[in-house]
Structure formats: structure tokens, C-alpha cells
Amino acid sequence: GKGNDLVELAEAAAALEPAETARLILGLRPRRARVLLTLLDDTPSLRVLQALDPSVSDVLLDRDQQARIAKIVAKLPVEEAADFLAESPRDLVEVTLEALGQPIDLVRALDHRNETAGALMRRRLVAAPLDWTIAQVIDKIREQSDRIDRLYAVYAIDSERRLHGYLKIRDLLLLAPETQVGDVMHRDTIMVSAGMDRAEVARIADRAQLPVLPVVDSELRLLGRVTTDELRAIDRAEAEEDMKLMSGLAPDSSAADGPLRIVPRRLPWLAAGLIGSGTAAFVVGSYEDALAKAAILASLIPIVMSMAGNAGIQASTVTVQAQASGGFWIGDLGGRILREIGGALLNGLIVGILVALAIVGIGEFIPIERPFDLGLTAGLTLVAVTTQAATIGALIPVLLERLGFDPAVATGVFITTSNDVMGVLIFFLIATAVYL
Amino acid sequence: GKGNDLVELAEAAAALEPAETARLILGLRPRRARVLLTLLDDTPSLRVLQALDPSVSDVLLDRDQQARIAKIVAKLPVEEAADFLAESPRDLVEVTLEALGQPIDLVRALDHRNETAGALMRRRLVAAPLDWTIAQVIDKIREQSDRIDRLYAVYAIDSERRLHGYLKIRDLLLLAPETQVGDVMHRDTIMVSAGMDRAEVARIADRAQLPVLPVVDSELRLLGRVTTDELRAIDRAEAEEDMKLMSGLAPDSSAADGPLRIVPRRLPWLAAGLIGSGTAAFVVGSYEDALAKAAILASLIPIVMSMAGNAGIQASTVTVQAQASGGFWIGDLGGRILREIGGALLNGLIVGILVALAIVGIGEFIPIERPFDLGLTAGLTLVAVTTQAATIGALIPVLLERLGFDPAVATGVFITTSNDVMGVLIFFLIATAVYL
């Protein structure tokens, strides 16, 4: 029966890597996936959960499963429990902390994990006092060899754990065993402070082309290191966040969100969109008499609005990406706007001519009043609207950044508002002049 | 005068890191930036260009500068020239190859650099024959120590360069100098083939939690390695590409694009947008009589279209991101759609009630015919439109992926088309029933 094949599946899963089991789960329906998870042993279930996206575990873990996981986590050392919970959905974290009676050390370890360098830091590293010899350092690495998976550098510290320099692993192979760390260490250490924003950490690692960065406190005491995995995770989180903000989503939105989370994470942007479209509605409403005379004009509103929206998003996305990668040439802003206007004029002309010809062509089959004038209205409007939308789209992220806002957050709202309003306004101004 | 302060700036720049000079250039106007670049020595100018985003170099390098850079590149070894050109704007590459007389080895090295593992690979690595001793390996590392900047692993190869295993750097410290590589190497080597797609390489590195992957040919001969920097570059390129495709931009679009590049890189999506908005125009046109009677209805078109567009993009972005991170739970598709519908109903209700109340309120000051019925029309439409847009937005990326398309490419066009058409259609159906 159905239950039996899941038992077989669980037995098969025991031989798989956690990541493989996780991928297997993505193909199962939630109810069957939950049964499979129950059939796994304690440690494998944690590993599988860690390999799953938190948004998936969020849906996967019902009350019973959460309680079971809480019990497993309770047996882990604080650092490991914090590691696991830091990547877990919020519900599971709350249930677990509740079940454990809010242990102060775990709560504190978790509180520390936010968007700073300290939050991303791993504590496992090799630090050597300045007066140690190379031979002593190698001995220490030997002792810790089962704890340290990857070795990039050995950090040289004084008796108060202040960071003074570092040795490359290569140095350990090349230097005489009796030389002292303090005499041969490199002093050009690039470090980050625990309170530094994660995006800044990624930028520093980039600039220095380093795979790992030591993390220090305000008195330069060595706290840990940010590794490659963390740096890649930062890059991804930042890119995803930009994309979410530009699409009108709160940064913590996910595919697991239920209705009660969808509302706070999306409604603010939908409501903000009403500012633009509501104003556009007023503009259209103020031309009610014109529309009563020539209702056909209303049919062009979707084309005008869609074109303005698309041209604006194209221009702003290019700008926001250049800003995010640190490659935005502010000195070339004038040139950039001119290039945008040039490209938008060409695109607008091509689309405008297409639509104008289509209107004149349709006028041959369906009775349209003065199809040539209507086509001219549409063509001129599309050129003007595309150009204004691209210009505004290229300018607004730069202005917002200058004013100290995150361009990605605000761009969406400002650009759709401006496009909605300017689009219909330009359209009715041209229509009044050419068609009415 | 102006020229003199640039000379001073160039002298100051000589003492800066290339990345610092690059950031300095981003603050200058293009003409002054070009003069500054001319004032730098050969090697520093190349380094600064490498530190700049290719989109910036593209604008920075005029004909004269391109010719100068071509001459500098001509003096470099093939590998280094290819490294430099691979990260350069296409114009510069063409001018340089032209000036060098299309040297076959450089052209071939560049041809090889596309979106595969082979393209991203660095050739510098430490490989050791199976019969070498640990002492011999350490000697080799010593010899090459000025060429190899960072060491992650030593790859064990046979006489035909086939990859058999690897040694961690830690092993070199721990093993007796006289042991043979072949006897102690790890055999669980995770490798990628040169033809593998870059996104797949990043996924493998992720799953294996490795900072560096060896690259082999079809006969398992070691060709090079993909390092952390490349992996981070892959992640970013993939994330940027998704964002561009969803915003209706070709993947190679940049802030440096001039009008003639903007057209091919944006026009296809603008034209595709016409399918949806053109069909919507037909829908509106077919209600011409209704609009002639109640032109006020036209003023609601912007609100309906904007709401449908925003709700659709929100739902599709969440889905596309989950797909891109490999965290999309296909088995939970039914649950996901139900959650989307639930959230959309709530958001639609809130926005719908707001707009309905606004219309009734405005009716107190401005003469609107039957404001209550118009408000009801708007409210009902917004609930329906938000719900259909969110449902379609959550479903389309999944369908497209099933059919073998890149969800990010096609999502934008499909969703805007569906939103434009369904939005006005639902609106006029409800308006006909409630208001007319």
C-alpha cells in the first residue's frame, strides 16, 4: 500500500545524501513528504531540513513535526542548534525555543544572527599567538584537523586575542619550523567588524579578492571569520532582495507564505500603486466629455499604459543593477540619459508606426472615425510616452540613491506612479490636439 | 588649469589600488576620465580597466583609447590577454583582435570563453603525479609560489593527466614527507566537465559545499579549476539575468548601451507587450457603446490594469525565485495556489473596499452617476482581478518550466499579456452586470 512504499522510500533515503533526499521531497505531496520525514532518524531528518529551502520546511513542518524537531534540537550543542535554527522558518524557531523554555544562551546566539558580519560569522578558525613557532602552529592544526574542514589562513593574535596579521597556508609549507609567527606574518590584514552590514562585507571581499575575511570586535579582537559559503549566500540574498523590492514584495516574502503573511508582505505595494493609478483615473475622468464624444479613445489606454510601464521598468532595471554592482558611472549620467532618450525614441517610433498602421488597417474592416488621425494620435503618444518613461526610469533610481533611499525599494512605486499618470496625461493632451 | 589638476590626480592615482582609481573614475565626467586614463602607465591602465565594470569601460574607451589598449594587450602572454579581453566590452575586443591581425591562438582562447565551466576555468593549479612523494609536492609548491596565489587542493594525476584524486592542503602538513600521493590521496573527487553549463557548476559547488572545483575533459584529463571568484561571478550573473529577463531586457543589456543597442535588446519585449495590450484594446473597443453611455468607466481602466499588473508580478517573482534557488516544492503546487488565492482575495478585498469607499466619497463632491453602483463595480472588479492575476502569476512560471522554457524569459510576456486582457475583460463583464 501507500504507507509501505514510503517505508521503502525512507530506507532508500537512508543511503542518500541529505541534499538528494531533499530533492526527492520536492517531488512529493506535503502529506507524503511529512510521513517520509517522520520515518527518518533524528540526525538525518535535521540534515534533510537543512538542505531544504526554509520556505519548504515552513510548509513541511506541521505542529507534530515541529515538536519532534524541537526535541532533536534540544540535544544539540548551543552553536549547532543556533546554526540550525538560524536557517529555519520562524515558526519552527518559535516552537523550538518555547519547548526548550527559552534558554538564554540559545536566544542570545540567535539574536546575534541578523544581517551583520557577526551574524554570518563562523567561529571555527585557527588562531596562533605571535610568539608561537611555525612548528607549534602545524601541531595545533594537526590536533584540530577533525574540527577544521577547510583552511585558508592562520590568524596571528596577541594575548588579548587582538588580530595583528595572518599567515597563508602556503607559508606553513615554505617557512622554517623554528621561525616565530610574529616575525614572518603578513601585516596587511583586511578585516571586517562584527557590526558591519552584510552587503558591505561582500563588497570588501570582492575588492580584496579574498575568499575568507576575519571578523573583529571594536577593539580589534578576533571573533571569527566569514567564509566563501557565507559570501555566496550574501550575494544571493542581496540579488533576491533587489528583485523582490522592485517587484513590490517585502524582502522576507517567500513561496511558502500563507494568506495572512501575503497581506502584510504585498498589500503596502499594491496600496502604493493606487496613488499612481488613482491619479491616472482622475486624469481620465477629467476627459469624460472627450471620451463621451470619442469612446474609441478609451481602447488606446491599455496600450499606452502597458508601453509606459514596460519601457520604464527596462530603463530602471538596468540602472538599479549597475548601482547594485557598484558599476554605475555617476559622472556619465548626462551621457546615459541621452543614450536612453535616443534608444527610447527609436523604440517608440517603431512601435508607434506599427500601432498607427494597425489602426489604419483595422479601419478598412471595422468602422473607425478618422482612422488616420487616430493612428497619428497613437503613434505620437507612444513615441512620447516611451521616451518619458525611459528617461524617468533611468533618473529615478539615481535621485533616490542621492537622497539616501534604497533605489530598489522606492523605484517600483515611483516609476509606476509616474508612468501611470504621465502616460494617460500625454495621451489625452495629444488626443485633444490631434483627434478631437 | 583643468589639465594640470588631472596630471596631479594621475600622480596621486599611481599610489592607489586599481580598484580605488576605478572608483575615482566613476565620479568624473567621461572626457576627464579619458584624460586621466591616458596619463596612467600601461600596466596600471589595464588594471584599472579590469577593476571597472565592462559597461563603464565601454563608454570610457573611445577610438584612440581602444587603439592604445590594443597595443598594450599585444605585449601580454596569450593567457593573460585572453583573461583581460574576456572581461572587456565587445568593441574593445574587436578593435584589439583587428589591430593584432586576428592571432589564431588568442581568438581560439577567447572563443572558448562562453557560458561553460571551461570558459570560467583558471588554468593555474597544482597537479602532482601519483608516484610523487609529499616532499616533492611541497617542493613544487615552493617553486611555483610566486605564480599561485591561493591554494585549496593539490590534484593527483597520472601520466596522461587524468584526474585520480586530490590532497587537501592540510594533508601536506600532516603527512610524512616520504609518503606517495597515490597512496594517501582522497578518491571522492567532485569534478565538472569543461562543457557543463555555468549554472550547473554553481549548483554542484553548492551541493558539495566546495570553494573550488577541478575541470576535466571528456576523458577525465585535468584542464583547470573553477575558483570561488568564478563561482560568485556565476551566482551574480544568473541572478542579474533572471531580473533582466523578467523586466523585459536581453541578458546582455547594460547601462552603457547606446540607442542602437537599446533597440535590439528591448524592442522584442515591448513588441511582445503589444500582444496583450492590443488584445485589451480590442476588448475595450468592443464596449465602445457602453463607454459612450458611461464614459466614467474609462477612468477605472488605469486602476484595474495597474492592480492586475502588480499582483501578477508579485506572485510570479516569488515563484521564479523559488525555482531559481532550487527550492520550489512542485509536490505542494496545489497548496501554493490555494495560499495565493487566499492572500489575493484578502488583498483584493482591502484595496477594493478602499477604492469603492473613495468613489462613493468623491461622489459627494463631484457629480458621478450612481456612485454606489460604480464603487461596487470597482470593488468587485479589484477582488476578481487581483485573484486571477495572482493565480496566473503563480502558475505560469511552473507551466513554462514544465514545457522546457526558462521561466524568467517567458514569464514577463505571458503574465502581462494575460493581465492586460483578463483585467479589462473582467472589468467590463462586471460593469455590464452591475453598472450599465
Side-chain angles (χ1 to χ4, degrees):
Chain A
K2 279 212 158 186
N4 277 344
D5 73 78
L6 277 173
V7 173
E8 271 171 45
L9 203 56
E11 275 161 17
L16 293 176
E17 289 291 305
E20 301 287 325
T21 311
R23 278 197 290 165
L24 203 152
I25 278 182
L26 291 182
L28 296 178
R29 287 175 186 285
R31 203 181 318 172
R32 286 165 62 77
R34 275 178 211 123
V35 177
L36 176 61
L37 194 71
T38 331
L39 293 172
L40 294 177
D41 287 337
D42 286 6
T43 317
S45 7
L46 278 205
R47 291 255 170 82
V48 168
L49 285 173
Q50 269 179 312
L52 283 168
D53 198 275
S55 71
V56 174
S57 339
D58 200 15
V59 178
L60 182 63
L61 298 171
D62 55 17
R63 288 274 146 196
D64 291 347
Q65 293 279 341
Q66 286 176 350
R68 178 186 162 225
I69 299 299
K71 272 187 214 147
I72 306 177
V73 172
K75 294 179 205 149
L76 295 176
V78 170
E79 267 291 294
E80 274 177 51
D83 274 355
F84 175 78
L85 291 178
E87 304 256 314
S88 296
R90 212 181 296 171
D91 273 9
L92 176 62
V93 177
E94 278 166 21
V95 169
T96 308
L97 290 178
E98 190 77 20
L100 303 186
Q102 310 281 349
I104 190 78
D105 47 350
L106 185 54
V107 172
R108 215 177 263 160
L110 273 170
D111 274 351
H112 197 59
R113 289 171 195 264
N114 44 31
E115 297 202 344
T116 62
L120 297 153
M121 181 179 79
R122 307 278 148 178
R123 285 173 199 282
R124 289 185 188 170
L125 51 73
V126 181
L130 294 170
D131 56 357
W132 276 23
T133 62
I134 298 296
Q136 279 177 298
V137 176
I138 294 177
D139 276 348
K140 186 172 179 191
I141 292 174
R142 239 171 232 157
E143 271 169 39
Q144 302 194 342
S145 69
D146 57 325
R147 278 191 53 213
I148 295 162
D149 197 34
R150 268 173 262 144
L151 207 56
Y152 301 91
V154 171
Y155 298 108
I157 52 173
D158 63 19
S159 56
E160 281 161 36
R161 237 190 133 71
R162 268 193 297 262
L163 181 60
H164 286 255
Y166 66 98
L167 292 173
K168 298 180 185 179
I169 299 311
R170 199 177 61 194
D171 299 330
L172 300 179
L173 296 173
L174 303 180
L175 291 165
E178 66 279 7
T179 39
Q180 271 199 348
V181 169
D183 296 336
V184 290
M185 67 183 181
H186 306 277
R187 287 167 194 281
D188 57 336
T189 324
I190 293 171
M191 54 188 100
V192 296
S193 79
M196 201 176 270
D197 184 76
R198 63 177 188 186
E200 184 62 20
V201 173
R203 243 169 270 138
I204 288 173
D206 252 13
R207 233 177 275 148
Q209 301 228 328
L210 286 173
V212 173
L213 289 173
V215 180
V216 295
D217 68 11
S218 56
E219 284 160 64
L220 300 186
R221 278 188 298 251
L222 182 62
L223 297 174
R225 57 177 192 165
V226 177
T227 69
T228 306
D229 292 340
E230 277 86 50
L231 289 173
R232 288 186 66 195
I234 295 173
D235 289 342
R236 275 182 211 166
E238 292 286 317
E240 284 202 349
E241 200 173 299
D242 274 0
M243 195 164 152
K244 279 185 185 141
L245 290 171
M246 285 194 69
S247 303
L249 291 160
D252 50 357
S253 303
S254 92
D257 290 347
L260 295 178
R261 284 198 199 143
I262 287 181
V263 173
R265 288 173 183 176
R266 302 194 195 172
L267 186 60
W269 280 266
L270 293 176
L274 283 181
I275 302 169
S277 58
T279 314
F282 262 103
V283 173
V284 177
S286 71
Y287 286 93
E288 199 181 339
D289 294 344
L291 281 166
K293 269 190 280 175
I296 186 79
L297 283 176
S299 66
L300 291 180
I301 295 176
I303 297 181
V304 170
M305 285 189 66
S306 137
M307 193 73 174
N310 292 341
I313 293 224
Q314 288 177 332
S316 61
T317 298
V318 171
T319 310
V320 169
Q321 285 199 342
Q323 288 175 312
S325 70
F328 189 76
W329 190 356
I330 186 75
D332 180 41
L333 183 59
R336 164 135 174 68
I337 298 298
L338 287 178
R339 294 195 298 274
E340 278 291 340
I341 292 177
L345 279 173
L346 286 176
N347 279 340
L349 258 176
I350 298 172
V351 173
I353 290 173
L354 274 177
V355 172
L357 288 177
I359 290 173
V360 173
I362 291 165
E364 297 290 310
F365 302 98
I366 298 174
I368 295 180
E369 211 178 313
R370 286 183 294 132
F372 181 80
D373 287 348
L374 190 65
L376 186 63
T377 301
L380 288 176
T381 302
L382 289 177
V383 174
V385 158
T386 309
T387 310
Q388 81 81 20
T391 312
I392 297 287
L395 269 177
I396 281 187
V398 181
L399 279 176
L400 288 171
E401 190 166 60
R402 282 275 139 147
L403 295 172
F405 297 103
D406 178 344
V409 189
T411 293
V413 172
F414 277 87
I415 288 184
T416 53
T417 301
S418 141
N419 283 343
D420 286 353
V421 180
M422 294 297 292
V424 293
L425 192 58
I426 291 174
F427 169 53
F428 280 104
L429 287 176
I430 293 180
T432 311
V434 176
Y435 192 66
L436 292 172
Chain B
K2 279 214 156 185
N4 277 344
D5 73 76
L6 278 172
V7 173
E8 271 172 44
L9 203 55
E11 277 162 16
L16 293 177
E17 289 290 306
E20 302 287 325
T21 312
R23 277 197 289 165
L24 202 151
I25 278 180
L26 292 182
L28 296 178
R29 286 173 186 285
R31 203 181 315 173
R32 285 165 63 77
R34 276 179 209 120
V35 177
L36 176 60
L37 194 70
T38 331
L39 293 172
L40 294 177
D41 288 338
D42 286 5
T43 316
S45 358
L46 279 205
R47 291 257 169 81
V48 168
L49 285 173
Q50 270 179 312
L52 283 168
D53 197 275
S55 71
V56 174
S57 341
D58 199 17
V59 178
L60 183 62
L61 298 171
D62 56 18
R63 289 273 145 195
D64 292 349
Q65 292 277 343
Q66 286 176 350
R68 179 188 161 224
I69 299 299
K71 273 186 213 149
I72 306 177
V73 173
K75 294 179 206 149
L76 295 176
V78 170
E79 266 292 294
E80 276 178 48
D83 273 355
F84 175 77
L85 291 178
E87 303 256 314
S88 296
R90 213 181 294 173
D91 273 10
L92 176 62
V93 177
E94 278 167 21
V95 169
T96 307
L97 291 178
E98 190 78 19
L100 303 185
Q102 309 281 351
I104 189 78
D105 48 350
L106 185 55
V107 172
R108 214 176 267 160
L110 273 171
D111 273 351
H112 197 59
R113 288 170 195 267
N114 43 33
E115 296 202 344
T116 62
L120 296 154
M121 180 180 77
R122 307 280 147 178
R123 284 172 199 283
R124 289 185 187 169
L125 50 73
V126 181
L130 294 170
D131 55 358
W132 276 22
T133 62
I134 298 296
Q136 280 177 297
V137 176
I138 293 178
D139 276 348
K140 186 171 179 191
I141 293 173
R142 248 175 221 152
E143 271 168 40
Q144 302 193 341
S145 71
D146 56 327
R147 278 190 52 214
I148 295 163
D149 197 34
R150 266 173 265 145
L151 207 56
Y152 300 91
V154 171
Y155 297 109
I157 53 173
D158 64 18
S159 56
E160 281 162 36
R161 239 191 131 70
R162 268 194 296 264
L163 182 59
H164 286 255
Y166 67 99
L167 291 173
K168 298 180 186 180
I169 299 311
R170 199 178 62 191
D171 299 330
L172 299 179
L173 297 172
L174 303 181
L175 292 165
E178 65 280 5
T179 39
Q180 273 200 347
V181 170
D183 297 336
V184 291
M185 67 185 182
H186 307 275
R187 288 166 193 280
D188 57 336
T189 325
I190 293 171
M191 53 188 101
V192 296
S193 79
M196 201 176 268
D197 184 74
R198 64 177 187 186
E200 184 60 22
V201 173
R203 243 168 271 138
I204 289 173
D206 250 16
R207 234 176 277 147
Q209 301 227 330
L210 286 173
V212 173
L213 290 173
V215 180
V216 295
D217 68 12
S218 56
E219 284 159 63
L220 300 186
R221 278 187 298 250
L222 183 62
L223 297 174
R225 55 176 194 165
V226 176
T227 69
T228 305
D229 291 341
E230 278 86 50
L231 289 173
R232 289 187 65 195
I234 295 173
D235 289 341
R236 275 181 211 169
E238 293 287 317
E240 285 203 349
E241 201 174 295
D242 274 0
M243 195 164 151
K244 279 185 184 141
L245 290 170
M246 285 196 69
S247 303
L249 291 160
D252 50 356
S253 304
S254 92
D257 290 347
L260 295 179
R261 284 199 199 141
I262 286 180
V263 173
R265 288 173 182 175
R266 301 194 197 172
L267 186 59
W269 279 265
L270 293 176
L274 282 180
I275 303 170
S277 58
T279 313
F282 261 103
V283 173
V284 178
S286 71
Y287 286 92
E288 202 180 337
D289 294 343
L291 281 165
K293 270 189 281 175
I296 188 79
L297 283 176
S299 65
L300 291 180
I301 295 177
I303 296 180
V304 171
M305 287 188 64
S306 138
M307 193 72 175
N310 291 342
I313 293 223
Q314 288 177 331
S316 61
T317 299
V318 171
T319 310
V320 169
Q321 285 199 342
Q323 288 174 312
S325 70
F328 189 75
W329 189 356
I330 186 73
D332 180 41
L333 183 60
R336 164 132 176 68
I337 299 297
L338 288 178
R339 294 194 298 274
E340 278 291 339
I341 292 177
L345 279 173
L346 287 177
N347 279 339
L349 259 177
I350 297 171
V351 173
I353 290 173
L354 274 178
V355 172
L357 288 177
I359 290 173
V360 174
I362 291 166
E364 298 289 311
F365 303 98
I366 299 175
I368 295 179
E369 211 177 312
R370 287 184 293 134
F372 181 79
D373 289 347
L374 189 65
L376 186 63
T377 302
L380 289 176
T381 302
L382 289 177
V383 174
V385 157
T386 308
T387 308
Q388 79 81 19
T391 311
I392 297 287
L395 269 177
I396 282 188
V398 182
L399 280 177
L400 288 172
E401 191 168 59
R402 282 274 138 147
L403 295 173
F405 297 103
D406 179 344
V409 188
T411 293
V413 173
F414 277 87
I415 288 184
T416 52
T417 301
S418 140
N419 283 344
D420 287 352
V421 180
M422 295 297 292
V424 293
L425 192 58
I426 291 174
F427 170 51
F428 278 106
L429 287 175
I430 293 180
T432 312
V434 176
Y435 192 65
L436 292 172

